[in-house]
Amino acid sequence: MNPAPFQALQAGVRYAARVRIPHALLMTALFARHKNVNKKVSGIVSQTYSHARSLGLFAAIYKLIIILLQSKKHNQHTLKYRPEHKWHSAFAGAIGGYAVWGQHNAVNEQVVLYLMGRVFLSSLKVLKKKKLIKTNFDKSYKVVAALTWGLVMFLFENHEEELPYGLKNSMREIYRSDEDSPL
């Protein structure tokens, strides 16, 4: 059996734990002051486990699909299990994304939304590099920022119930604090 998927699983678990533990500690310190210590620790462990499980499984599935897609000829010449054709990475990523990150929970949603923004901006850069669009990235970024903030403020003011719990609470703290304290 090829060890690459198992190595990817381990690397995904290690990386996710390394980034999730400090994040969960900070978020717990900031937003879970009302919870007792047992609930705080339980939340940190639960979020870390969820992130590590998802990233580890995704990495293993991705690597396994890449290996399965490789031709024997390609496989004999290299011990690096990377996509043989460009579409392989998109296909393996989509399958893994559907199977793992498609399970809706708070941690998966946070990771997918984080990636979505990064991928969108990176895609603009690729399109510009390939001369498929003519744009000044700084100007494009300003438009993206304006649309994002305009939309989030519209949603907050008109459809607050549709915003994710953490975002809704942050928005309330920032933009409704004047309603809670008399002048």
Side-chain angles (χ1 to χ4, degrees), residues 129-141:
K129 188 190 320 186
K130 292 184 176 268
K131 299 186 187 326
L132 295 171
I133 60 172
K134 293 179 182 179
T135 184
N136 176 318
F137 180 75
D138 289 335
K139 287 182 182 176
S140 299
Y141 179 80

Side-chain angles (χ1 to χ4, degrees), residues 139-154:
K139 287 182 182 176
S140 299
Y141 179 80
K142 287 180 180 185
V143 171
V144 170
L147 291 173
T148 300
W149 281 98
L151 188 55
V152 76
M153 296 313 298
F154 172 83

Side-chain angles (χ1 to χ4, degrees), residues 21-73:
I21 290 172
H23 180 268
L25 283 168
L26 178 64
M27 298 309 280
T28 299
L30 291 173
F31 299 111
R33 291 175 281 207
H34 61 283
K35 293 183 180 179
N36 68 39
V37 174
N38 287 340
K39 287 195 181 222
K40 289 178 183 179
V41 171
S42 173
I44 292 166
V45 169
S46 175
Q47 289 176 11
T48 303
Y49 173 78
S50 179
H51 194 161
R53 178 186 171 277
S54 291
L55 190 55
L57 282 174
F58 175 82
I61 289 168
Y62 176 83
K63 196 60 89 164
L64 181 63
I65 292 171
I66 292 299
I67 290 167
L68 292 173
L69 291 172
Q70 287 180 338
S71 65
K72 290 186 193 279
K73 177 181 156 193

Side-chain angles (χ1 to χ4, degrees), residues 26 35-36 45 57 88 99-100 107 111 120-121 165 168:
L26 178 64
K35 293 183 180 179
N36 68 39
V45 169
L57 282 174
H88 286 179
V100 177
V107 171
V111 172
F120 177 75
L121 290 176
Y165 177 78
K168 186 181 345 183

Side-chain angles (χ1 to χ4, degrees), residues 77-94:
H77 298 297
T78 181
L79 291 177
K80 293 181 179 174
Y81 299 100
R82 295 187 179 158
E84 185 176 353
H85 302 286
K86 290 180 179 183
W87 67 268
H88 286 179
S89 56
F91 179 76

Side-chain angles (χ1 to χ4, degrees), residues 6 10 14 20 61 65 67 108-109 121 135 137 157 162:
F6 298 108
Q10 288 177 326
R14 269 193 318 270
R20 179 54 64 175
I61 289 168
I65 292 171
I67 290 167
N108 282 2
E109 180 180 285
L121 290 176
T135 184
F137 180 75
E157 297 293 356
E162 300 303 331

